[in-house]
Amino acid sequence: MAPLLALEDVRAGYGPIEVLKGISLEVNEGEIVTLIGANGAGKTTTLMCVSGILRARSGRIVFRGQEIHGLPPDLIVRLGLSQSPEGRKIFPRLTVLENLEMGAFTRDDPAGVAQDLGRAFELFPILKERRSQPGGTLSGGEQQMLAVARALMSRPKLLLLDEPSLGLAPMICIRIFDVLRDLNKQGMTVLVVEQNARAALKLAHRGYVMETGAIVMTDRAAALLDDPKIKDAYLGE
Amino acid sequence: MIFLQQVINGLTTGMLFALVAIGYTMVYGIIELINFAHGDLFMLGSFYALTVITGLQGMGVSAAGLLAALPVVFLLSMAFCALLNVGVDFLVYKPLRRAPKLTPLVSAIGVSFVFMGIGQVWKGVYDLHFPDLLPNTNLLGEGASLRFTGKDLAVFLVTVPLMLGLSVFVRTTRLGKAMRATAQNPVAAQLMGINVNLVIGATFVIGGALAGAASVIYGLSVNTVSFQMGYQNGLYAFTAAVLGGIGNLPGAMLGGIVIGLIRSLGSQYVGEQWTSALVFAILILILVFRPSGLLGARTREKV
């Protein structure tokens, strides 16, 4: 079966700086795949290329059998790909409820949206409590929950997550990762970028290791967790 | 009594500034561009309305008929300014969307001069009389010590519903919420599947339409228009937007009213020749203590 998402030799950058020096990776339907690597390795850039915010300079990006390289971001969302971006990027002066509504912007089935809203509040009850509050007044952890819940509102086939654990208390990280595991069991495919390599590898089926704009290693997540080089460089053992 | 009278006068002009200020603040909110041509768009709107009204007069339409046709004049002028505004965005600002912020800003100053040039060629360099169609009678009774004229009432009848309508629009509609989302974080808005180019276009349409409405009611209540009116009123409206907190819609409305009041009270108690100096002195003072304006964004994104 063809992968849900495939990147082939993707190159991208900002001005004269080339950040991605030919990235190839695949995400199969039903998988959780993680992309780990140090700060500045190009993980966020990779996700921004997939979402169409940054246009790749060359290479192919295929999602559900369709070339999406060069498509505007709103059309990519409509194809079933959504992202919870780095730094959460919630809308600070929209209420929690409005933030979630924006997540469902591309949909026109009010009944389905209402149902998914109910599910979001079930997953993260604190959001229900705070639904009339501006997003900017939430704590960091609550904002992260909101960013994940908002990305789910488009009912994506593939969910991209950028640093969902950044700056969060361990308890909240565990909560968010549990939710991701459950969603995956219900059939959602996930590509998660993380600096917290240990947590990400424990969650994922497979992993890619990125260094200065290139994929340097890929394997099953369990194998990467045991790899001495990975342990040394990313797991701090 | 004089004080109250100046408050009425100030509120009336303030509402006009507010309507123009909305156009500055909305565009700034979405693409961080100070659209310096907005005031001159307002001027062209009044010229267009003047052309329509004199055209109707030329066709022998009576004063009562003109009064009845005013809603159409408003709609035409709003459509004219909306199209012009979105056209300028498409031709001038859109190609510069990824350029450094200074580039579209300087281009906007250029568009302002182009608009003024068009105004001069269109209607000449002298002050023009704008037909006096609205009743100037005092609604509080001719003998009353306060004056609130039919013209003043008309200003409120035009500006208040438009502002209320706009507030409801951005609060409740899908496009309105998408506009707020785009203003707050354009990248996140794109990730939600919002077509940001469409939202920017809608912003220029709405801002332009409001300037068009403001330009007609300005002409009808002041009865003098000239190619320079956009520069003067645009500067006050822009100041109103900054005073209220640029990018903030209620702020622009509040800022417009505050500036209208400062102007009218200042001309009464300080002296006519000092009004501009007073307006900008107060602007500076407020910005020293509240750099983001009276209602400017205070929520910070948390790390």
Side-chain angles (χ1 to χ4, degrees):
Chain A
M1 201 173 71
L4 186 63
L5 174 75
L7 275 68
E8 281 172 36
D9 198 25
V10 170
R11 288 170 187 276
Y14 307 92
I17 301 152
E18 186 169 64
V19 179
L20 301 184
K21 295 161 184 162
I23 296 286
S24 298
L25 63 83
E26 288 180 358
V27 180
N28 296 306
E29 197 148 3
E31 272 189 319
I32 301 182
V33 173
T34 184
L35 188 57
I36 60 174
N39 232 343
K43 307 185 298 291
T44 296
T45 305
T46 307
L47 293 195
M48 284 304 175
C49 279
V50 174
S51 278
I53 302 289
L54 180 69
R55 206 181 168 133
R57 286 176 184 164
S58 67
R60 278 161 55 80
I61 305 175
V62 178
F63 177 61
R64 298 175 79 187
Q66 187 178 340
E67 175 72 60
I68 58 170
H69 174 192
L71 281 188
D74 52 303
L75 291 185
I76 295 176
V77 175
R78 280 170 203 278
L79 285 175
L81 192 155
S82 78
Q83 182 182 157
S84 161
E86 184 189 31
R88 339 218 220 273
K89 296 192 170 53
I90 58 139
F91 303 114
R93 291 180 299 285
L94 296 190
T95 65
V96 168
L97 185 64
E98 285 170 334
N99 266 279
L100 292 171
E101 284 172 4
M102 285 298 109
F105 188 80
T106 53
R107 295 174 60 179
D108 35 31
D109 56 325
V113 172
Q115 193 187 335
D116 287 4
L117 197 61
R119 187 186 64 165
F121 286 150
E122 236 169 74
L123 288 175
F124 303 109
I126 188 75
L127 296 182
K128 187 173 188 182
E129 230 170 88
R130 304 210 184 286
R131 65 181 177 275
S132 314
Q133 247 175 262
T137 63
L138 266 53
S139 74
E142 290 161 358
Q143 290 194 5
Q144 185 61 58
M145 292 179 202
L146 179 57
V148 173
R150 186 182 64 175
L152 292 173
M153 287 302 292
S154 66
R155 228 181 242 190
K157 291 273 178 296
L158 173 62
L159 175 65
L160 308 183
L161 290 151
D162 199 344
E163 302 280 7
S165 76
L166 191 69
L168 297 189
M171 283 303 293
I172 297 169
C173 287
I174 291 169
R175 172 95 194 96
I176 287 175
F177 277 48
D178 281 348
V179 167
L180 294 178
R181 199 172 282 121
D182 284 349
L183 290 168
N184 176 251
K185 279 188 187 131
Q186 291 160 32
M188 182 172 316
T189 310
V190 179
L191 172 59
V192 54
V193 157
E194 261 295 349
Q195 278 193 69
N196 183 347
R198 185 190 310 277
L201 288 171
K202 280 182 179 159
L203 171 76
H205 302 111
R206 288 193 304 118
Y208 288 88
V209 183
M210 220 174 159
E211 262 171 33
T212 56
I215 304 268
V216 293
M217 196 189 279
T218 175
D219 208 333
R220 288 182 304 106
L224 287 174
L225 266 175
D226 286 335
D227 190 285
K229 272 181 291 183
I230 300 294
K231 276 186 175 169
D232 191 44
Y234 299 105
L235 304 176
E237 285 175 16
Chain B
M1 270 312 157
I2 285 173
F3 177 80
L4 271 182
Q5 185 60 54
Q6 292 299 356
V7 168
I8 292 176
N9 298 350
L11 283 177
T12 314
T13 42
M15 292 307 273
L16 282 170
F17 292 144
L19 210 51
V20 182
I22 288 170
Y24 282 100
T25 223
M26 282 179 80
V27 165
Y28 183 85
I30 299 265
I31 54 173
E32 288 180 32
L33 165 72
I34 308 283
N35 183 6
F36 277 113
H38 194 69
D40 304 288
L41 180 78
F42 164 79
M43 175 270 294
L44 289 180
S46 74
F47 279 15
Y48 178 76
L50 182 59
T51 305
V52 172
I53 292 174
T54 43
L56 288 172
Q57 281 174 329
M59 284 155 57
V61 178
S62 66
L66 284 172
L67 202 58
L70 273 185
V72 180
V73 176
F74 269 100
L75 287 179
L76 282 174
S77 187
M78 288 168 81
F80 173 80
C81 287
L83 278 177
L84 199 55
N85 212 24
V86 81
V88 166
D89 173 51
F90 187 79
L91 289 176
V92 183
Y93 307 137
K94 197 174 176 213
L96 301 173
R97 210 79 89 202
R98 284 168 191 275
K101 295 267 187 294
L102 197 58
T103 316
L105 185 76
V106 173
S107 306
I109 296 173
V111 173
S112 164
F113 282 115
V114 170
F115 277 4
M116 266 202 270
I118 292 173
Q120 286 183 43
V121 172
W122 192 359
K123 299 277 183 194
V125 296
Y126 301 108
D127 283 0
L128 296 161
H129 176 70
F130 196 100
D132 198 358
L133 300 175
L134 296 174
N136 205 16
T137 47
N138 189 358
L139 300 176
L140 303 174
E142 275 315 320
S145 46
L146 278 182
R147 273 183 72 78
F148 183 75
T149 65
K151 287 180 180 176
D152 295 337
L153 178 67
V155 169
F156 285 96
L157 285 180
V158 169
T159 54
V160 172
L162 282 174
M163 285 188 224
L164 286 179
L166 181 67
S167 304
V168 171
F169 172 80
V170 299
R171 296 263 142 229
T172 59
T173 65
R174 207 171 119 87
L175 179 58
K177 286 180 190 173
M179 289 171 85
R180 285 158 63 212
T182 306
Q184 292 173 30
N185 196 323
V187 170
Q190 283 180 292
L191 289 175
M192 298 303 109
I194 294 169
N195 183 338
V196 169
N197 279 324
L198 212 70
V199 167
I200 295 171
T203 306
F204 275 91
V205 165
I206 293 171
L210 295 181
S215 73
V216 182
I217 193 67
Y218 176 90
L220 288 169
S221 73
V222 178
N223 301 112
T224 305
V225 294
S226 84
F227 80 99
Q228 287 171 319
M229 68 183 251
Y231 172 73
Q232 295 153 357
N233 292 289
L235 196 59
Y236 281 125
F238 166 60
T239 308
V242 173
L243 185 71
I246 188 116
N248 182 300
L249 213 49
M253 302 179 193
L254 178 69
I257 292 169
V258 168
I259 287 191
L261 288 174
I262 295 173
R263 272 188 34 147
S264 64
L265 294 173
S267 68
Q268 179 69 45
Y269 296 109
V270 185
E272 185 85 49
Q273 69 273 34
W274 289 101
T275 44
S276 292
L278 197 65
V279 165
F280 291 102
I282 290 179
L283 174 79
I284 291 168
L285 211 67
I286 289 180
L287 290 186
V288 165
F289 293 103
R290 287 195 61 97
S292 53
L294 290 173
L295 301 181
R298 269 154 294 171
T299 35
R300 292 254 169 81
E301 279 175 66
K302 293 194 175 149
V303 186

